[in-house]
Structure formats: C-alpha cells, structure tokens
Amino acid sequence: MTRVGVNGYGTIGKRVADAVAAQPDMELVGVTKTSPDYGAEAAIRRGYDLYAAIDDRVDEFEAAGLTVSGTLANLLDAVDVIVDCAPSGIGERNQPVYEAHDTPAVYQGGEDADIADASFNARASGDEVVGADSLRVVSCNSTGLSRILAPLDEEFGVEKSRVTLVRRGGDPSETDRGPINDVIPDPTTIPSHHGPDVNEILPDIDIDTAALKAPMTAMHTHSVNVTLDTETSAEAVRDLLSEQSRVFQIPEQAGIDGAGTLKDYASDLGRPRGDIWENCVWEKSVSVEGRDLYLFQNVHQEADVVPENVDAIRTIATDVSRSESVARTNEVLGVGFDSLLADGGSVQAPMTADD
Amino acid sequence: MTRVGVNGYGTIGKRVADAVAAQPDMELVGVTKTSPDYGAEAAIRRGYDLYAAIDDRVDEFEAAGLTVSGTLANLLDAVDVIVDCAPSGIGERNQPVYEAHDTPAVYQGGEDADIADASFNARASGDEVVGADSLRVVSCNSTGLSRILAPLDEEFGVEKSRVTLVRRGGDPSETDRGPINDVIPDPTTIPSHHGPDVNEILPDIDIDTAALKAPMTAMHTHSVNVTLDTETSAEAVRDLLSEQSRVFQIPEQAGIDGAGTLKDYASDLGRPRGDIWENCVWEKSVSVEGRDLYLFQNVHQEADVVPENVDAIRTIATDVSRSESVARTNEVLGVGFDSLLADGGSVQAPMTADD
C-alpha cells in the first residue's frame, strides 16, 4: 500500500486526490489547502484529511469551522510519495521542503524540467523514469502530444511535427482569466515551450509548436501536422490510434461538434466532474496527404494528466511495470470510451441539446 | 409506483430521467430521442429503454447500432405520466398525441401557459394544481423567481418587484448559440415574459422583468429588487431565505465569486453533472434600504426545474401532498447545500483554483 499526500487541492490536486483514493493499492493520507475556502470544505466532505499548506494558517481554518489534521510537514512525514499540485512555480519553492523530509515527489508540468529526476508520460517515457526519486508529469498539452507522437513514431516514423495549440484562456473556475474577446499568440515567439517539453519525453522527435490562447474554458484544441517517414493512409492512422488506451476518437456520427458537446457526453456517461482523461481526436479530421498527417485533437486540461500522476506515483514507489500500472489505473478510473455507435451510423439531422 | 416516460432526452430530459429513475415511488419506463446521437447512446448505457420520438426513424437508430424499444406511441401507452422535454414549442405539437393516448403530461416552461391545466412551482403554486391532468413547470428563471417571491410575500408582503435577468446565451452543449461578444436586450420590450410567467404561479405579485442575453453558458444571473410592504433587515431576509429548502445562500467566506466557482463547488460535492437544483443567492448581496430589498441570485438553467418536474409528476399522479413530495424529492436527489464553513470564517487571501 503506497501512502500518498497531495499538496495543493486545486483543479489538478482535487482530481489526483480522487484518483489516488480510488486505487486499491494506494492510501490517500491527506491533502493540503492554503486557505479555508469551498474547496477545503469539499475535501472534508469527501472524507479527506485536510492539512494546512502554510504553517501559520491553521488558526484560519479553525476560525472558519474546518478541522485540520496538521501542517504540510506532518503530511510529508506520513507519506511515501507527495504529489505537488501547487500552482506553477510554487513546486520549485516546495522542493527543498520535500527533500528535507526525504519524501519522494511527483511534480506537475508547470515546473521546470530540471525539478525532477525525469519528466514523465506513461505511454511515451523511456526507461529513464525507472528508479527515479522524483518525477515531473508533463503539462496537459505535452501529455496529449506525447500520447500520439510516440505510437506514430513507432509505427510510421516521425520526420517532423508541427502543432498549433489553441489553448483555453482559463479553467471554468478561473473567473478572472482572459482573453475574453481575442485570440492571443502566447508566447509570440515560436516555438512555445510545448515542443521542448515533448522532447523531455521523446528526445528524438523533431517538433515545432505554436501556441495561442482563446476565450474558452472547457478544453485545449490542437491542430496537428506530422510529416511521417513513410506513406500511409488515414485508416491506418485511425487503427493505430484506436489501439491507444488513452486516446478517444470522436465518432463522426455521434453528433459531437465541439468541447461543449464533448464534455456533455462525458457527463452523460457519468464521468466524475465531466472529466475526460483521454486525448479526444476528431475521427473525421484524421487525413493523410502523401506523408503528411493532419488531425485535430482536444485535451481536457483539468483531467488528462490525472491518470499520468497515478502512474508516476507507482513508478516512484513500487516495482509495478508501467504497462501494468496503466492497465490498473485505466480499470479503476474507467479510462477509455467505447462508443456503442456503429461505424457508418447515420445521423442525418443536426442535433441540438434539446432535441 | 408511478410509471413515467420522458419525451425528449436533451438538457432537461436527461436530468429529469435521472431524477425520476432515482425516486423509489417512480419507475422510468423509457425516454425518447429523435436521432441516434451521443445522448441516445448515453441513455442506453444508463440502462434506460430508448424509444424513437419520430415513428419513421426507428431504422436510423438500428443502423447506428442502437436498439430501440418502440416509438413514442408505445411509450405513451405504457406510462401513467409523460414528461414533455421537447424543445420549446414542440410540446404544443405533442399535446394532441398525448391526449389521443389519454396520457397525463408535464410540460416545460418553453410552452405557452395555456398548454396545461395549470402552471407549477412546488413552493409557490396554489391549490389550482391539485387534481390537474396536465401541468406546466415554469421556466428556470420563473422557477427561481417564484421560489423567493413566495416567501417574501408571505413574510413581508411584496408591493412591487423589479428584476433584471442577465441570461446565459446558451447551454454548455449548445455550441452554436450567441451572443459571443455582446449583451443583448432580449426582448427589447419590457416586460420580458418572465414577469407574466411568475404571475401564472403568483397572480397577485406585482412584478416587472427586463431580460438580457450574455456571452456565458453556466448560469443565469438575476438582479432582484423587491419593494416590501413592511420595513425589515437584511438579516431577517437572510433568515427567511435560509428556511427555503431550494434556496442556497452562497457564504461570503467560501471563495465563490461567480458561476465558474459555484459550479466547481457543486462538482466538488459530487453533484451529478455539477448540477445545482437550488437558487443560489449571493449572501453578501442581500441588502435592505428602507422597504427596498436588493439581491443577486444565480439560477442553473439546466437543473433548477428538475426537482419541480418530479413534484409535478407526483401532483398529477398521486395523492402525496406537495410538502411531502418536496421533502421526498429533496431527500432522494440531495437538494440543499449545508455549508460547513462557519459564519464569519475568514478567507483573507484571494483564492485561485490551483492554490
């Protein structure tokens, strides 16, 4: 049984906590919050022990009526692995604290790559992650790209990849983010950090990335071009992607036309928080011109790294193989859509949500 | 056991179906869809029998790989009550079909008031709904207004109510709706239909409503002014609202600052689809100047009518009292937030979702 703590109970932390608590081979010892807000209340309601992320704020929680089990230091001493889910850059400040407590750590992709022994993606990482004392799960976008580039490279060879990332401006709960009426080159310099970040996982892939921010909150959208080493067909690519357990190809006939309907589908299937852990590749977009592959995919920025965190914990703390860990994580969380809609089913009328 | 069918499995229909299926005294016989899209697939996955809303489309479902149990006519013959969750205006076309099958019906607020024997709100309707063969659950906005105006009128007397409704442009799954960068007077003429609609429930309330549409999808926001017959205090109003089982007052100290964080809280508490069945009154906004009460409230357009539909079914089909029905519905669905956060708890730092 691996004892796990989650430091930071925000968008990613709350989901990692739920995923860890669901694993039969893991024990969620507790989670931290910096302040007693609705998220802290919700953690307690879920039965999670709450720790103050900042020592001198224990009184603040008590004043708000929320009981804390201790501070971050107490949590670190009680766990085998800490998952750092603090905002970008705070993980760097936390690192010496974890090391002082001799607690192995999983970091998120908002931190620099050198914070950990290796960067991590369950599908695409090499053996450099074995035996690591700390791992960094690459960002949602880099996770989404690594998951498709690895099999494409193995099957067809990747000569060059060019990706435009149209990123959501903020998460649904980030009411103060923007843009509200623009699409912002971010950064304006090319490449964005995503290409180099993919190279932390797949060092031999030639990839350039250009990134924008758009006024939407539900998901990121990637416009992907991959020049392959060998000619192939769209069908062969679809077949390859259909074998990837964390890639969902959106059926043409499902009446799903954007992130709104995609997330609605996830909620319809009873997914907690409407989460989508898989890359969502638009089946109809997969096309091949000579050696050039094109496709659109959506990535749920709140969720796709969650199963990766679970696998990173196992990689650090156990001898369970990566493939076995992925299988376990998928099984417990329910990763993988298996559409009932037959290929070639005909949806003739445009659908509305109230039809 | 009341046998219930749901005609139309869109935004409202899917939620009503789930709510009916959860009631121990009801049986969900089946739901209809017009086409075999992702929603139809999800209905089958949830174990609901699927019926073709349009007779000659059965083949279309079969071609898509989805098994249907029959057509709308078959469903109507098998139920005690049909809940019409078709898009606005389609209920009117469905009415003669229901009547031909002698099937009592619950309609939604998108239909004209004269479609049913009476309009319905569980908290505010009078005895005119007793014995009705058909009921119309008023729209999400009218539901939200009725829930607060009824108790305010009973306790303090309502001299006049003036409400500005800033409505969401479309639901999250309605990817083709607008506006995308404007706030639209809709309708430009005052009053909007909401005031008269409230009068279908509370005929003696003097109310004017002005309505707008804004580029957001999560919830509607109401700016409410009520001139009361008697002077009172904000505290007395808060106390009154706190006694209403379908009104949630958002605690000042929860760190909830908009619909995004509000819905995040609902998901944190494990609400299915992140649904919020309650009016959400911003506690800090409740203020009284002389006899003038002001407050903001949010209404989750996808969800607040759902418990009302359950109560409307019981009102038509059983002798269960309205108060008993409300109690049962609330218990089964888990309606009612009960914040753990102590009054006066201090959240000093602004929160971000990733803190």
Side-chain angles (χ1 to χ4, degrees):
Chain A
M1 185 72 78
T2 303
R3 297 167 302 163
V4 180
V6 175
N7 188 24
Y9 192 76
T11 300
I12 299 297
K14 64 177 73 165
R15 290 170 166 85
V16 169
D18 290 349
V20 166
Q23 306 301 313
D25 57 343
M26 296 185 188
E27 177 195 354
L28 180 69
V29 177
V31 302
T32 75
K33 283 289 291 180
T34 51
S35 290
D37 66 354
Y38 73 88
E41 182 201 323
I44 286 178
R45 281 186 188 269
R46 285 184 181 245
Y48 301 157
D49 284 348
L50 188 65
Y51 292 76
I54 299 171
D55 287 0
D56 60 10
R57 291 207 184 158
V58 171
D59 292 348
E60 213 174 289
F61 284 90
E62 303 289 344
L66 301 182
T67 303
V68 294
S69 303
T71 64
L72 173 61
N74 302 127
L75 181 61
L76 291 174
D77 288 337
V79 301
D80 301 310
V81 178
I82 188 80
V83 183
D84 185 281
C85 295
S88 293
I90 306 295
E92 188 182 344
R93 298 204 305 224
N94 290 332
Q95 183 187 35
V97 182
Y98 304 156
E99 291 183 351
H101 287 263
D102 210 17
T103 307
V106 174
Y107 298 94
Q108 305 306 312
E111 308 303 321
D112 291 340
D114 62 8
I115 199 170
D117 292 345
S119 289
F120 182 85
N121 174 264
R123 171 65 180 83
S125 280
D127 286 339
E128 71 278 5
V129 301
V130 178
D133 262 342
S134 60
L135 288 170
R136 166 182 168 265
V137 174
V138 292
S139 74
C140 49
N141 284 309
S142 303
T143 294
L145 290 172
S146 298
R147 283 177 181 169
I148 59 170
L149 288 171
L152 286 171
D153 194 42
E154 293 163 11
E155 186 78 5
F156 307 111
V158 171
E159 180 180 300
K160 174 93 181 181
S161 180
R162 304 166 185 86
V163 182
T164 298
L165 302 94
V166 185
R167 293 178 300 161
R168 100 292 183 237
D171 294 334
S173 61
E174 294 178 315
T175 47
D176 59 347
R177 297 277 289 253
I180 57 169
N181 183 36
D182 211 332
V183 172
I184 309 287
D186 178 44
T188 310
T189 49
I190 291 168
S192 66
H193 72 272
H194 306 93
D197 207 27
V198 167
N199 287 142
E200 293 291 334
I201 301 291
L202 296 163
D204 298 330
I205 294 274
D206 188 356
I207 177 170
D208 293 334
T209 55
L212 304 149
K213 279 201 311 185
M216 57 194 193
T217 62
M219 303 182 86
H220 301 297
T221 302
H222 299 170
S223 179
V224 177
N225 163 239
V226 184
T227 305
L228 301 166
D229 286 336
T230 54
E231 288 199 16
T232 184
S233 67
E235 193 178 339
V237 172
R238 287 178 199 171
D239 287 347
L240 176 68
L241 294 179
S242 72
E243 292 161 9
Q244 310 304 312
S245 68
R246 291 179 183 169
V247 175
F248 167 56
Q249 286 186 83
I250 303 166
E252 296 184 31
Q253 67 274 21
I256 296 172
D257 65 351
T261 38
L262 195 45
K263 296 221 58 213
D264 195 41
Y265 179 55
S267 288
D268 280 355
L269 298 188
R271 290 283 182 101
R273 306 177 192 275
D275 280 355
I276 304 180
W277 302 293
E278 303 85 353
N279 290 27
C280 297
V281 174
W282 297 87
E283 183 180 86
K284 197 171 179 176
S285 74
V286 177
S287 53
V288 176
E289 302 281 337
R291 290 190 289 120
D292 269 320
L293 162 68
Y294 298 91
L295 61 83
F296 291 126
Q297 69 172 358
N298 276 38
V299 167
H300 183 198
Q301 76 282 356
E302 300 173 300
D304 80 326
V305 298
V306 171
E308 308 295 331
N309 271 274
V310 173
D311 296 326
I313 293 166
R314 277 204 195 89
T315 300
I316 285 181
T318 75
D319 293 329
V320 175
S321 73
R322 203 118 49 82
S323 59
E324 169 64 17
S325 176
V326 168
R328 283 190 200 176
T329 305
N330 290 356
E331 169 75 20
V332 171
L333 296 184
V335 173
F337 287 97
D338 181 23
S339 176
L340 299 176
L341 292 165
D343 280 343
S346 58
V347 175
Q348 287 162 4
M351 297 290 90
T352 74
D354 297 298
D355 75 315
Chain B
M1 185 70 77
T2 304
R3 297 167 302 166
V4 180
V6 175
N7 187 23
Y9 192 75
T11 301
I12 298 299
K14 65 178 71 166
R15 289 170 166 86
V16 170
D18 290 348
V20 165
Q23 307 300 313
D25 58 345
M26 296 184 187
E27 177 196 353
L28 179 70
V29 177
V31 303
T32 77
K33 283 288 292 180
T34 52
S35 291
D37 66 352
Y38 72 89
E41 183 202 322
I44 287 178
R45 281 186 188 271
R46 285 185 182 244
Y48 301 158
D49 284 348
L50 187 66
Y51 292 75
I54 299 172
D55 287 0
D56 60 9
R57 291 210 185 157
V58 170
D59 291 349
E60 212 174 289
F61 284 89
E62 303 290 344
L66 302 182
T67 303
V68 293
S69 303
T71 65
L72 173 61
N74 301 129
L75 181 61
L76 290 175
D77 288 337
V79 300
D80 301 310
V81 179
I82 187 79
V83 185
D84 186 281
C85 295
S88 294
I90 305 295
E92 188 182 343
R93 300 205 304 226
N94 290 333
Q95 184 187 33
V97 182
Y98 303 157
E99 290 183 351
H101 288 264
D102 209 18
T103 307
V106 174
Y107 297 93
Q108 304 307 310
E111 308 304 321
D112 290 341
D114 62 9
I115 198 171
D117 291 345
S119 287
F120 182 85
N121 175 265
R123 171 66 180 81
S125 281
D127 286 339
E128 71 279 4
V129 300
V130 177
D133 262 341
S134 59
L135 288 170
R136 167 182 168 265
V137 174
V138 293
S139 75
C140 50
N141 284 308
S142 304
T143 295
L145 290 172
S146 298
R147 282 178 181 167
I148 60 170
L149 288 171
L152 287 171
D153 194 42
E154 292 162 13
E155 185 81 5
F156 307 112
V158 171
E159 180 180 299
K160 174 92 181 181
S161 181
R162 303 166 187 86
V163 181
T164 298
L165 302 95
V166 185
R167 293 179 299 162
R168 99 291 183 239
D171 294 334
S173 61
E174 295 178 314
T175 46
D176 58 348
R177 298 278 289 252
I180 58 169
N181 184 34
D182 211 333
V183 172
I184 310 287
D186 179 42
T188 311
T189 50
I190 289 167
S192 66
H193 73 273
H194 306 93
D197 207 28
V198 167
N199 287 143
E200 293 289 334
I201 302 290
L202 296 164
D204 298 329
I205 293 274
D206 189 357
I207 178 171
D208 294 333
T209 53
L212 305 150
K213 280 201 309 184
M216 56 194 195
T217 62
M219 303 181 86
H220 300 298
T221 302
H222 299 170
S223 177
V224 177
N225 163 237
V226 184
T227 305
L228 301 166
D229 287 335
T230 55
E231 288 199 15
T232 183
S233 67
E235 193 178 340
V237 173
R238 287 178 199 171
D239 287 347
L240 176 68
L241 294 179
S242 72
E243 292 161 8
Q244 311 304 312
S245 68
R246 292 179 181 168
V247 175
F248 167 55
Q249 287 186 80
I250 304 164
E252 295 184 31
Q253 67 275 20
I256 295 171
D257 66 351
T261 39
L262 195 45
K263 297 225 53 214
D264 195 43
Y265 180 55
S267 289
D268 280 355
L269 298 189
R271 290 283 183 102
R273 307 176 191 275
D275 279 355
I276 304 181
W277 302 292
E278 303 85 354
N279 290 25
C280 297
V281 173
W282 297 88
E283 183 179 86
K284 197 170 180 176
S285 74
V286 177
S287 53
V288 175
E289 302 281 336
R291 292 190 289 120
D292 270 321
L293 164 67
Y294 298 91
L295 62 82
F296 291 126
Q297 70 171 359
N298 276 38
V299 167
H300 183 197
Q301 75 281 357
E302 299 172 300
D304 80 327
V305 299
V306 172
E308 309 293 331
N309 271 274
V310 173
D311 296 326
I313 294 166
R314 278 205 195 88
T315 300
I316 285 182
T318 75
D319 293 329
V320 175
S321 74
R322 202 116 50 82
S323 60
E324 168 64 17
S325 176
V326 168
R328 284 189 200 176
T329 305
N330 289 356
E331 169 75 19
V332 171
L333 296 183
V335 173
F337 286 98
D338 181 23
S339 176
L340 299 176
L341 291 164
D343 281 343
S346 57
V347 174
Q348 289 163 1
M351 295 290 89
T352 73
D354 297 298
D355 75 312

